[in-house]
Amino acid sequence: MYTAFLKKISISSCLIFLCIHTTSAQYKIKGSIIDDTIESRILAKNKIGLNTNRNIKIYLPPGYSSSKNKYPVVYYFHSLFENPNQVVSDHKTPEIIDKNIIENKSKKFILVVPDFTSPTIGSLFENSSTSGFWLDFITEELVPFIDNKYRTISDKNSRAVIGHFMGGRGALKVAMAYPEIFNIVYALHPVATGSGYLPRISLGVDWDKVLVARSYEEVGDDIRTKIFTSVCQAFLPNPNRSPLFCDFLFEKDENNVLQLHPKNIRKEQREFHLDERLDEYADNLRNLTAIAFDWARFDQTQAHVISNRRFSKKLMDLGVDHKGEEFVGDPWNKYWGDEGRLATRVLPFLNKHLSF
């Protein structure tokens, strides 16, 4: 009996040692989150009151502080009505990356999550004299800031951009327009890849209310009305037209009757919808190392699904190699978690194509 008791003590001690050792090992290969701030000169040029102090969440991989190694960088563009805290804390993105590194499924990289919030709905990832020169901020200020301050491999082959929803549009746009900076892109359920099937007259936007609004707040709480007011500020900026500083898809005629404005609509569509610019950027896209995007079949706005299917088709017709995948789900319920698409699709894609 005494011998059996000693064996139990021995086994228990081994289990405790193993548990402590495992926990300690896992702790050593956890990354860290750094809060940083960049003062933007470029974003000072706007009409909507952007804060030029932009916060950044930066994930530094395990071993960063104790080594002199340089790492690839992945930029994450969040969507409308979101912020970097949600990407890091709510979606637990660092924990997903850590787990994949622990399991040797992913090599180490730096993740940069900039702040794309605004007093309206957030960045639409364009250059606008009204809502901000966001593309210039990303390419001329943000990327050099990260490369100068952190141990990055400052080469396009070691720099990727990913994004979700409107951030997915942003990821595709900067890859299309700046292939000398971003050579790898993965867009998670990007929107505005095309016009879908609804004409602008059928969007249900309260243009009468927009045209008499004396501030953005007076546009009201209807989501679609808020979004398309911001779309006008981004793609139809007019610095001389106070208080919203833009033109609109519908305007009042000389009799004060609301009328569709075809020229404004076509101008907005050519700038906002990525498929309208594919011919212009086809050479850039063909020269990228890797392009991927996916979309959820059961998005309540089926225009997003249709647009992504057509976007993939047009890329094929232009000879642009890419991965395009439709999956069962909605845009919000399949991306995060241990078995989410970030872990099972995005990280393997980055691991395969980034230059480490």
Side-chain angles (χ1 to χ4, degrees), residues 140-325:
E140 297 177 24
E141 291 184 326
L142 177 63
V143 170
F145 175 84
I146 296 297
D147 283 344
N148 289 331
K149 191 166 182 179
Y150 298 91
R151 294 199 312 277
T152 69
I153 304 174
S154 55
D155 180 84
K156 66 178 184 178
N157 296 314
S158 298
R159 192 182 294 121
V161 57
I162 65 177
H164 177 237
F165 214 72
M166 190 61 73
R169 179 205 182 271
L172 287 169
K173 180 57 189 286
V174 298
M176 290 166 63
Y178 304 96
E180 73 281 7
I181 299 176
F182 296 100
N183 203 28
I184 298 161
V185 56
Y186 194 117
L188 297 78
H189 198 85
V191 296
T193 53
S195 59
Y197 59 89
L198 286 178
R200 287 299 190 246
I201 198 170
S202 302
L203 293 176
V205 174
D206 190 348
W207 291 109
D208 282 304
K209 190 171 186 178
V210 172
L211 288 170
V212 299
R214 292 168 295 180
S215 67
Y216 190 85
E217 288 70 27
E218 289 191 9
V219 167
D221 295 327
D222 177 71
I223 296 298
R224 190 164 290 189
T225 299
K226 291 175 72 170
I227 288 174
F228 276 91
T229 301
S230 292
V231 166
C232 290
Q233 290 180 321
F235 303 102
L236 297 172
N238 185 344
N240 299 315
R241 188 171 179 177
S242 178
L244 297 178
F245 300 102
C246 62
D247 297 322
F248 301 98
L249 305 184
F250 284 71
E251 301 279 7
K252 295 287 183 71
D253 65 15
E254 62 273 10
N255 298 314
N256 204 37
V257 176
L258 189 69
Q259 300 283 356
L260 178 143
H261 197 293
K263 288 185 178 179
N264 286 354
I265 286 176
R266 284 304 298 139
K267 181 180 179 182
E268 171 261 324
Q269 289 175 329
R270 282 192 297 269
E271 296 297 321
F272 187 31
H273 296 154
L274 295 179
D275 64 345
E276 300 253 8
R277 309 292 294 276
L278 284 180
D279 290 324
E280 176 186 350
Y281 291 124
D283 286 341
N284 289 354
L285 287 163
R286 282 190 285 264
N287 289 323
L288 292 178
T289 294
I291 305 166
F293 60 101
D294 60 29
W295 60 95
R297 183 174 300 160
F298 299 117
D299 187 335
Q300 289 185 341
T301 304
Q302 280 292 293
H304 298 156
V305 177
I306 292 168
S307 294
N308 280 313
R309 290 172 182 166
R310 292 174 178 170
F311 191 70
S312 179
K313 175 189 176 296
K314 189 164 185 179
L315 287 174
M316 291 185 68
D317 289 339
L318 290 170
V320 177
D321 187 32
H322 69 286
K323 290 186 180 297
E325 183 181 1

